[in-house]
């Protein structure tokens, strides 16, 4: 028998390229012997979580031997209150990535298709391909009719075919940082046939202050096929705990909860998320830190004459004007971890997460040095 194990996997899995996360600081230390490095690679909150989260996690240790509440009662109640919805409208996930995967598992089959934009978040093609469903990738704006690399909703409508069951939209999108305004996005959701699930991924919702940026949770009553996903990983600073959620009408949440693993969100994540929701002051401080850092980074790359994609997230894509893999590698040697985006078809670009002022400064100085060499 000459077959490899990989050849026994389903066709989608055979050709799947796993998600490439940002390089952990410990790995840089191990591989390069570099200490005191800064990581601006995974869109994490540089302030960390609210101190209230740390406090809340203590009580988790008393219950370490117990399974978590599989129904997430406290967290769902807190979220339901926040959004003025029924707790049954909420689906908790092991990060919002988990919720994206639940959608694929519940609504896609080999033979069906999912629609998303070019340069969109890498998890959409991954969950689609793992099922063996087809990805209908819509070309993004080329810069003539909307910001370059941003979602082109007309092209996405045209990408819908008879087999389409799911549409993924990131607003704002990662890694581009581009966003869709209220009128355009609302018209799109209205134009999509009701048998197609529309996922609006708002992982960076809390950071966006543009007046025309929509809070699509306000639209849920109008669309039984709409799912809005958000996360505690970004602005709330809880990436390590893995907790996110979807909000929809109860019917859609019921379907997603059927395929959800019963204990997908652990007790610490539930405790931490509830505490994080209760600290608005820390959230505001996080957002302000991001706004200041974004200005600093934009000013810095402009001073280096480098083009960038205007971003409303907590990260910035910069065109470094040469092989970004080389620049990435050289930055590692300077103790600065950023994110290559070679899997996103954006030649020349690197993505930099907004850090603390001194971290941003460290990156800008390292970039200046690397580009001058
Ligand atoms: C980071 C991110 C997520 C989800 O992250 P989780 O940690 O799984 O909640 C989802 N969508 C986009 C666009 C992201 O950038």
């Amino acid at each position: 028998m000459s077959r490899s194990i990989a050849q026994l996997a389903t066709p989608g899995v055979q050709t799947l390229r796993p998600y490439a996360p940002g390089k952990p600081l410990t790995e840089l230390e191990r591989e390069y012997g570099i200490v005191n490095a800064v990581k601006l690679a995974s869109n994490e909150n540089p302030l960390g979580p609210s101190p209230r989260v740390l406090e809340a996690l203590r009580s988790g240790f008393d219950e370490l031997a117990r399974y978590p509440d599989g129904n997430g009662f406290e967290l769902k109640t807190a979220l339901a209150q926040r959004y003025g919805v029924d707790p049954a409208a909420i689906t908790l996930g092991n990060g919002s990535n988990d919720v994206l995967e639940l959608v694929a598992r519940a609504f896609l089959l080999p033979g069906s298709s999912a629609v998303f934009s070019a340069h969109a978040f890498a998890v959409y093609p991954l969950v689609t391909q793992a099922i063996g469903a087809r990805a209908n990738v819509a070309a993004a704006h080329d810069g003539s009719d909307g910001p370059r690399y941003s979602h082109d909703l007309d092209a996405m409508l045209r990408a819908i075919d008879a087999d389409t069951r799911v549409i993924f939209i990131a607003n704002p999108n990662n890694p581009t940082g581009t966003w869709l305004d209220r009128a355009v996005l609302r018209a799109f959701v209205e134009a999509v046939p009701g048998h197609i699930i529309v996922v609006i991924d708002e992982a960076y919702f809390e950071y966006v202050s543009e007046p025309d940026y929509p809070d699509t949770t306000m639209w849920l009553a109008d669309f039984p096929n709409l799912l809005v996903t958000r996360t505690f990983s970004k602005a709330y600073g809880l990436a390590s705990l893995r907790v996110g959620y979807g909000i929809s009408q109860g019917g859609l949440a019921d379907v997603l909860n059927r395929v959800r693993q019963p204990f997908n969100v652990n007790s610490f994540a539930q405790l931490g998320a509830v505490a994080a929701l209760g600290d608005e002051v820390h959230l505001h401080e996080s957002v302000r830190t991001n706004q200041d850092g974004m200005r600093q980074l934009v000013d810095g790359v402009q001073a280096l004459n480098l083009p960038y994609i205007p971003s409303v997230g907590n990260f910035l894509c910069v065109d470094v004007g040469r092989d970004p893999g080389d620049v990435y590698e050289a930055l590692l040697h300077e103790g600065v971890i950023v994110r290559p985006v070679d899997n996103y078809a954006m030649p020349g670009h690197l993505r930099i997460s907004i850090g603390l002022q001194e971290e941003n400064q460290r990156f800008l100085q390292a970039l200046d040095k690397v580009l001058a060499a």
Side-chain angles (χ1 to χ4, degrees):
M1 209 169 82
S2 60
R3 272 168 193 249
S4 71
I5 291 291
Q7 284 174 311
L8 300 175
T10 61
V13 173
Q14 281 186 31
T15 50
L16 201 64
R17 292 222 340 249
Y19 184 81
K23 194 184 218 22
L25 284 162
T26 48
E27 192 175 298
L28 186 69
E29 281 185 24
R30 251 190 342 263
E31 292 176 354
Y32 292 69
I34 291 171
V35 291
N36 291 327
V38 300
K39 183 188 177 205
L40 301 174
S42 300
N43 301 345
E44 297 146 342
N45 183 339
L47 295 181
S50 156
R52 289 198 205 176
V53 169
L54 301 181
E55 191 59 39
L57 294 188
R58 283 182 224 285
S59 65
F61 287 100
D62 301 335
E63 300 293 328
L64 211 46
R66 307 231 175 258
Y67 280 99
D69 174 1
N71 202 19
F73 178 81
E74 301 280 351
L75 178 52
K76 278 193 190 173
T77 304
L79 287 168
Q81 232 158 42
R82 153 78 51 108
Y83 291 108
V85 298
D86 197 86
I90 293 163
T91 308
L92 298 181
N94 192 266
S96 54
N97 281 339
D98 188 24
V99 182
L100 301 175
E101 201 193 353
L102 296 181
V103 173
R105 295 222 331 263
F107 291 98
L108 294 177
L109 277 174
S112 52
S113 68
V115 167
F116 47 85
S117 174
H119 323 293
F121 186 44
V123 167
Y124 313 151
L126 277 177
V127 298
T128 302
Q129 193 182 333
I131 298 290
R134 200 166 60 251
N136 292 356
V137 182
H141 281 300
D142 62 8
S144 55
D145 199 22
R148 187 164 183 211
Y149 296 120
S150 66
H151 287 22
D152 177 347
L153 293 182
D154 290 331
M156 289 182 72
L157 270 185
R158 288 195 300 271
I160 295 173
D161 62 29
D163 303 320
T164 302
R165 294 293 175 270
V166 176
I167 299 176
F168 292 108
I169 295 174
N171 195 32
N173 183 43
N174 167 23
T176 59
T178 52
W179 62 288
L180 298 159
D181 77 30
R182 183 176 292 108
V184 171
L185 186 53
R186 173 85 193 192
F188 176 85
V189 177
E190 283 173 357
V192 171
H195 69 276
I196 299 174
I197 306 302
V198 179
V199 181
I200 304 185
D201 175 350
E202 299 182 349
Y204 302 93
F205 175 84
E206 296 82 5
Y207 285 116
V208 187
S209 58
E210 263 63 15
D212 291 332
Y213 175 72
D215 176 352
T216 59
T217 61
M218 312 293 269
W219 304 349
L220 288 169
D222 302 329
F223 303 103
N225 59 330
L226 176 62
L227 176 76
V228 181
T229 60
R230 294 188 185 171
T231 182
F232 289 94
S233 298
K234 307 287 161 60
Y236 288 101
L238 298 184
S240 73
L241 289 181
R242 312 304 303 127
V243 51
Y245 55 98
I247 318 181
S248 61
Q249 290 189 15
L252 178 45
D254 171 53
V255 169
L256 296 176
N257 276 291
R258 292 181 200 188
V259 290
R260 185 179 62 80
Q261 282 189 36
F263 305 110
N264 63 333
V265 181
N266 72 67
S267 310
F268 290 92
Q270 294 185 34
L271 288 168
V274 171
L277 275 179
D279 193 347
E280 291 280 337
V281 173
H282 184 76
L283 182 64
H284 287 312
E285 204 179 316
S286 302
V287 171
R288 216 194 38 225
T289 301
N290 188 62
Q291 286 166 344
D292 294 347
M294 180 65 85
R295 209 167 306 119
Q296 181 189 2
L297 221 56
V298 165
D299 287 350
V301 298
Q302 277 180 335
L304 294 172
N305 280 316
L306 299 174
Y308 61 94
I309 306 172
S311 166
V312 296
N314 65 344
F315 52 87
L316 187 70
C317 264
V318 178
D319 183 349
V320 293
R322 63 183 76 173
D323 184 341
D326 294 345
V327 177
Y328 168 71
E329 197 60 36
L331 287 171
L332 286 182
H333 286 277
E334 298 298 320
V336 178
I337 310 174
V338 298
R339 188 66 160 269
V341 287
D342 32 1
N343 51 331
Y344 285 98
M346 296 157 54
H349 286 79
L350 285 175
R351 192 194 71 191
I352 301 96
S353 303
I354 309 298
L356 300 173
Q357 195 189 358
E358 54 273 24
E359 295 172 323
N360 301 329
Q361 192 55 32
R362 180 95 182 265
F363 160 73
L364 288 167
Q365 279 166 354
L367 182 63
D368 191 18
K369 181 175 167 191
V370 162
L371 293 180

